[in-house]
Amino acid sequence: MSIQQVGQQNIQVVHNRLLNTLGVIRSQWLIRGKPSSLKLDWRSEPEGEVEATGFVAMTEGGWPIPNEASVAGCRELIDELLGAGYSQQIVTRFNSSSGVCRYIGESGGSISYQTGSGRVIFLTR
């Protein structure tokens, strides 16, 4: 397996984890009555202790959005959704005209998250 294939698999794992996390968040948003922000408290499986607690702002359609429309906001969002440190593993971009956060892996594969619609697009190189 080449270095590029390993890097590609890494961004694919991030993509799958993001999709699963967004599904859980949207379900929680619906269950909790569609609040404008949602408390996230991710739990550690073996110990059952809270690892981190944070809040994310939500769209009217039920998708998490960055607290600010910027690269820093997109970095903060991915760390809230997937855990601290994810933003350090990838390059983050933000397109202000489309409201898209783009996360680029080492091999050039990327994930685009459309903040208005919750749509996630995975692109390989």
Side-chain angles (χ1 to χ4, degrees), residues 1-123:
M1 186 174 285
S2 73
I3 296 290
Q4 183 173 359
Q5 287 172 319
V6 170
Q8 197 63 44
Q9 283 184 334
N10 183 39
I11 196 76
Q12 188 170 5
V13 169
V14 172
H15 171 252
N16 290 335
R17 186 161 180 213
L18 180 60
L19 289 176
N20 290 332
T21 300
L22 289 171
V24 169
I25 288 172
R26 188 144 199 287
S27 294
Q28 287 297 310
W29 176 78
L30 289 167
I31 290 167
R32 294 179 184 172
K34 302 179 181 180
S36 60
S37 68
L38 191 64
K39 180 180 178 182
L40 305 177
D41 55 350
W42 305 119
R43 298 194 180 269
S44 164
E45 290 295 322
E47 299 154 12
E49 295 177 17
V50 174
E51 284 185 356
T53 301
F55 286 87
V56 291
M58 302 293 288
T59 65
E60 289 183 12
W63 303 107
I65 53 174
N67 288 329
E68 63 180 62
S70 67
V71 168
C74 290
R75 281 189 193 126
E76 188 177 304
L77 180 64
I78 200 76
D79 282 343
E80 284 292 340
L81 298 179
L82 301 182
Y86 265 90
S87 63
Q88 295 172 359
Q89 300 173 26
I90 51 182
V91 174
T92 305
R93 301 274 187 259
F94 179 71
N95 184 323
S96 57
S97 62
S98 63
V100 171
C101 291
R102 186 166 178 222
Y103 305 103
I104 306 163
E106 291 177 7
S107 66
S110 69
I111 301 165
S112 293
Y113 175 62
Q114 297 175 355
T115 59
S117 67
R119 186 172 181 199
V120 178
I121 299 170
F122 175 63
L123 298 172

